[in-house]
Amino acid sequence: MQNAILAGLLGGVACSLIGVFVVTMNLSFIGVAIAHAAFAGALCGAWLGFSPQAGAFIFSLAAVAVIGPLADRGEFNPDTPIGIIFSLTMGLAFLFMGLLPGPKTQALELLWGSILTVNNFDLVLLFIVAVIVLTLVMLFFKEIQAVIFHREAALAVGIPANLIFYSMLFLTGSVITASLRSIGGLLIFNLILNPAAAAYQLTYSLRIMFILSASFGILSTWLGLLISYLFNTPSGATIVLVSTVIFIIAAAFSPKRKVKKWKNELESALKN
């Protein structure tokens, strides 16, 4: 349980901070593709007999290396290459799952996650990734803010926007890899998206959004862990459901809804 609490803290912070970038840059689908690539890589590692984390890391980086240039230079919507990678990795994941000899226990753990089974290596990996993400956000906050606001404009004024963009994609893959065992390949993206989306509903400040997102991520993991302990439910699924409830509450009380309503009323009045 101590390891699970620490994993919830580290994973909640890392996933939620990356989630702010995913939400504000409208890259939600990219997280799904990378998550499934990491899941396929982990299953490949289990099938071939090496570390599932190493396989997840290799596959997620390969997905980033393909998605990034295609989204930048392709003559079609970025959702197209992302969708292709998503379908490919899903097919590979179930292929490797079918090729695994014997019981599929390890595959199911990677699929649904089990935060109660994280070991010291998992905690060290989560700690390293969380510290790297937090440090980069603090050191390069202004540059990240500029890239989020307008990537081309940031590039025009001398900010290495492409480097920041690809670094964030790389960190997304790293965070997913580090959190795979605790949350699961099919659920990890929700923990990246939901806390950041909830924070986005409550503030216009990027700095406050980072803080709220990290807080919601920690709250989701700890409260989900408590509920799963009390009611004997799957921990990964419970954590994701809690994060979804937090988003629903944030959306219900979002000040942005009122602003949008006033804007629509004003536009309607001007037309009349």
Side-chain angles (χ1 to χ4, degrees):
M1 183 61 75
Q2 291 176 349
N3 283 356
I5 292 173
L6 286 174
L9 171 66
L10 297 171
V13 169
C15 290
S16 303
L17 292 179
I18 285 297
V20 172
F21 179 79
V22 171
V23 169
T24 53
M25 290 287 290
N26 298 318
L27 298 173
S28 299
F29 198 24
I30 200 172
V32 177
I34 297 174
H36 285 80
F39 176 54
L43 289 175
C44 179
W47 173 50
L48 294 177
F50 63 90
S51 169
Q53 284 90 347
F57 187 67
I58 293 170
F59 270 59
S60 62
L61 291 190
V64 169
V66 173
I67 290 171
L70 282 176
D72 274 348
R73 303 170 191 170
E75 297 180 356
F76 36 68
N77 191 294
D79 285 347
T80 302
I82 294 173
I84 293 171
I85 297 298
F86 169 75
S87 58
L88 171 64
T89 53
M90 274 294 291
L92 288 174
F94 286 103
L95 173 64
F96 294 139
M97 185 182 297
L99 292 174
L100 280 174
K104 311 299 182 184
T105 305
Q106 187 177 19
L108 291 176
E109 283 188 1
L110 294 170
L111 181 66
W112 300 112
S114 180
I115 197 170
L116 295 174
T117 62
V118 295
N119 52 37
N120 290 335
F121 174 78
D122 298 322
L123 286 176
V124 170
L125 186 61
L126 275 171
F127 176 78
I128 292 172
V129 171
V131 168
I132 291 174
V133 172
L134 184 59
T135 301
L136 290 178
V137 168
M138 293 176 64
L139 290 179
F140 300 101
F141 176 79
K142 292 182 179 179
E143 289 81 0
I144 292 173
Q145 187 177 35
V147 172
I148 288 175
F149 178 72
H150 200 290
R151 186 176 166 192
E152 288 74 19
L155 191 63
V157 298
I159 295 174
N162 290 334
L163 177 61
I164 292 174
F165 177 75
Y166 282 100
S167 297
M168 288 300 170
L169 293 184
F170 170 81
L171 287 176
T172 300
S174 302
V175 167
I176 290 171
T177 298
S179 306
L180 195 62
R181 279 200 59 197
S182 56
I183 306 300
L186 291 185
L187 300 173
I188 182 60
F189 173 67
N190 298 84
L191 190 60
I192 290 176
L193 181 64
N194 291 351
Y200 183 79
Q201 299 297 317
L202 300 176
T203 182
Y204 290 96
S205 168
L206 184 63
R207 192 181 303 274
I208 295 176
M209 186 177 173
F210 273 116
I211 296 172
L212 285 177
S213 181
S215 301
F216 289 153
I218 296 171
L219 178 63
S220 298
T221 53
W222 282 358
L223 187 57
L225 187 60
L226 176 62
I227 293 173
S228 69
Y229 173 77
L230 293 176
F231 297 97
N232 194 29
T233 56
S235 54
T238 307
I239 289 170
V240 168
L241 290 175
V242 170
S243 71
T244 304
V245 171
I246 291 174
F247 167 75
I248 293 172
I249 295 172
F253 293 94
S254 173
K256 295 183 178 182
R257 291 181 63 210
K258 296 180 180 180
V259 173
K260 186 176 181 179
K261 181 180 178 181
W262 293 338
K263 183 179 178 180
N264 291 337
E265 290 178 351
L266 179 60
E267 290 177 353
S268 179
L270 290 174
K271 288 180 181 179
N272 294 332

